Amino acid sequence: MAMIASASQILALASCGRPPQIVASPPFPEVFELVEVIELGEDPADSIAEIGVFVERQDGGFIIGDWRLPRVRTYTDDGSLKGAFGRFGDGPWELQRISSVAETASGQIVVSSPRNRWLTYLNSDLSPDTLVGIGANAVLQMFPFGPDIVFYGIGPAGTIHDVAMQDGYFHRLVDGSVAWTSWTTPIFGMPYWHGFGDVTGAVAGDSIFAMAKLLYPATILNGAGDSVGAIGTPSPSFRRIPEIEFGAYATTSPRGQDASDVLGTFDLVSRIDVVAGSHLVFTLGQHDETKPFYPFRVLHTRLEVYDRHTGTKLYDDVLLSGGVKVLGGGRYLYVLQNPDIPPWRIAKYRLRVAD
């Protein structure tokens, strides 16, 4: 079976029969200006295991959820450690690990953990406030939306078929209850695709951007969960995931051997971030072929920049330095310089086109 689409097939899929849009692909320093590099302060008795979720705070500073430990930490704008919260467990005020973090308009910090059927609301100083039940949804990403929270979550599911049959993957939480559920994607109905890439999103103003990491474009939802447009076009260099027949990996070969052959052959949009209010930055990447088993590792390779109001792609294939990881957006684009070992240094970049 041919596992990889040819270059001509990829271009046809990307352009849907139309010539691909020609967009400038300047070097990174021409698009982003380095503001400063922050080195995170640490408590020697409570060190970061791996930087996971990153959130820029409204009043300056940021929040980091540890990827491997059930700890959420707050920092000042210069990287000084302010506080930490979290202990391992399944009970109230306990976490297995941090799957997502958001800061509400009122300054509360909301934390989700994959096995908890509630969201943990903390005060600004990380003292416990309340627990909000959400049924059986596994909350994987959260965003503040006015006074509310929008989250991407998977409902009760015994199989991937159950996930594919959900009414939607994005939900708006209003006064502790889900007001609506919206948006689906075919990746959960395709063999193996759900294992190679799920869903990402972002919120800006009164718009929600929902995207399957493997497929363009991103859908634009309004505050009622209605689809009102789309944004995002793949560059000619974007390698679309091949369609893989069900049972392709059901062989007697060692576990993962066949899957590892395809890991590095396609691209995905790892994350979408809002930068300087009016711009969307798509971070593209590919799976690390040296880590062929779940959980996979995605290597960030290049960026795309869009005007979120007009949908215009401003820059294409802006190359990232090797070995860095895009953490998030806000007033700046935040990039972790060395994702693997401390000291943890985060570079703040200003988007030049936003000046």
Side-chain angles (χ1 to χ4, degrees), residues 304-355:
E304 300 172 350
V305 181
Y306 296 84
D307 183 317
R308 74 171 180 88
H309 298 294
T310 66
T312 303
K313 180 186 276 191
L314 303 176
Y315 300 112
D316 212 356
D317 285 341
V318 179
L319 295 180
L320 288 163
S321 299
V324 302
K325 176 182 178 182
V326 176
L327 292 178
R331 293 178 286 275
Y332 306 99
L333 182 73
Y334 295 87
V335 178
L336 183 60
Q337 293 192 322
N338 189 338
D340 298 316
I341 57 173
W344 310 108
R345 295 190 175 98
I346 300 173
K348 293 167 57 174
Y349 290 98
R350 179 182 291 110
L351 181 60
R352 292 182 183 275
V353 72
D355 292 340

Side-chain angles (χ1 to χ4, degrees), residues 14 47 75 96-97 122 131 155 158 162 172 176 186 206 258 276 281 304:
S47 298
Y75 298 85
Q96 291 287 330
R97 64 177 180 86
L122 307 172
L131 302 175
D162 296 333
R172 182 170 180 176
D206 58 359
D258 295 326
V281 175
E304 300 172 350

Side-chain angles (χ1 to χ4, degrees), residues 56-62 75-77 82 331:
E56 181 192 75
R57 303 196 72 173
Q58 303 167 84
D59 60 353
F62 36 90
Y75 298 85
T76 61
D77 197 50
K82 289 183 65 178
R331 293 178 286 275

Side-chain angles (χ1 to χ4, degrees), residues 52 58 65 113 121 127 144 148 165 211 214 216 224 238 275 292 342 346:
Q58 303 167 84
S113 185
Y121 278 69
S127 60
D148 307 322
M165 294 298 104
M211 185 175 187
L214 300 172
Y216 283 80
F238 184 83
V275 179
I346 300 173

Side-chain angles (χ1 to χ4, degrees), residues 126-194:
L126 295 182
S127 60
D129 182 76
T130 189
L131 302 175
V132 175
I134 51 168
N137 284 292
V139 177
L140 304 176
Q141 201 173 12
M142 292 188 293
F143 318 94
F145 193 75
D148 307 322
I149 290 287
V150 166
F151 66 91
Y152 154 52
I154 300 298
T159 66
I160 193 63
H161 174 77
D162 296 333
V163 174
M165 294 298 104
Q166 273 190 234
D167 292 332
Y169 309 117
F170 279 78
H171 318 268
R172 182 170 180 176
L173 192 68
V174 180
D175 295 329
S177 299
V178 175
W180 53 253
T181 291
S182 180
W183 191 80
T184 58
T185 169
I187 66 167
F188 293 115
M190 292 291 294
Y192 306 106
W193 279 13
H194 63 277

Side-chain angles (χ1 to χ4, degrees), residues 5-27:
S6 69
S8 60
Q9 289 174 313
I10 293 173
L11 286 173
L13 287 165
S15 62
C16 299
R18 298 186 299 274
Q21 182 184 9
I22 304 302
V23 181
S25 303

